Amino acid sequence: MKKTILMSAFLALFVFSCASTSSATVAVGEAKSKVLKNLGNPVRILDNNQNGEILVYADQVFTEEGTTSLAGSNYWRYNYVYINKEGKVTSTRQEKQNYPPQAIDSAKMEGLNLLTAK
C-alpha cells in the first residue's frame, strides 16, 4: 500500500514538472542565444526596421473533428519573438493563421504595424 502511494506521488510530481516546463515560453529580457538554445532555429527571421529582428517559430496543427490526426492541416500556430539590437527579447506574440511560414510578407506586416514590439 505504501509503495503504491509513493509511486503515485512520484508519478504526479513527474507529470506536473513536465507540464510546467513549456519550451514555447520565452521571458522578456532573455538573450537571443538562450532563445535559440531553448526553441531551436526559427523557420524565418524577419528584419524589424531599425529595432532588431523577429524570430518566427511555426507549428502546423492537424485536427479532424477535435482529434489529432496525420491528414488534413487546419492551421499554423506562430510564435513571434522580438529581439532588439542588443540581442535581448523585448516581447513575444502568438497567433493562429491559415497561411504557411513561406507566405509571411515582412513588408506587408510593416505596413500593418505588426513588426514593432508593443
Side-chain angles (χ1 to χ4, degrees):
M1 180 72 175
K2 288 183 181 182
K3 287 183 182 180
T4 306
I5 293 172
L6 182 62
M7 289 300 287
S8 297
F10 178 73
L11 181 62
L13 287 173
F14 178 74
V15 169
F16 179 72
S17 67
C18 290
S20 65
T21 57
S22 173
S23 63
T25 59
V26 177
V28 173
E30 283 186 359
K32 179 181 175 183
S33 59
K34 186 173 180 182
V35 173
L36 293 174
K37 181 180 177 184
N38 290 340
L39 299 180
N41 291 329
V43 294
R44 299 271 315 260
I45 299 177
L46 302 175
D47 185 34
N48 192 5
N49 296 332
Q50 303 297 323
N51 299 328
E53 60 189 359
I54 302 171
L55 307 179
V56 180
Y57 293 91
D59 290 320
Q60 192 171 16
V61 178
F62 298 97
T63 60
E64 183 179 312
E65 297 179 14
T67 61
T68 304
S69 68
L70 296 176
S73 67
N74 284 345
Y75 65 91
W76 288 82
R77 185 180 308 128
Y78 287 99
N79 187 12
Y80 298 95
V81 180
Y82 295 83
I83 307 290
N84 64 12
K85 291 287 187 184
E86 290 79 33
K88 301 287 184 182
V89 175
T90 57
S91 67
T92 63
R93 182 169 55 95
Q94 296 178 353
E95 66 182 19
K96 296 177 184 177
Q97 293 293 339
N98 292 326
Y99 53 82
Q102 298 83 1
I104 296 174
D105 184 6
S106 62
K108 181 179 177 183
M109 290 179 75
E110 180 181 346
L112 297 173
N113 293 326
L114 295 176
L115 289 179
T116 58
K118 294 181 171 61

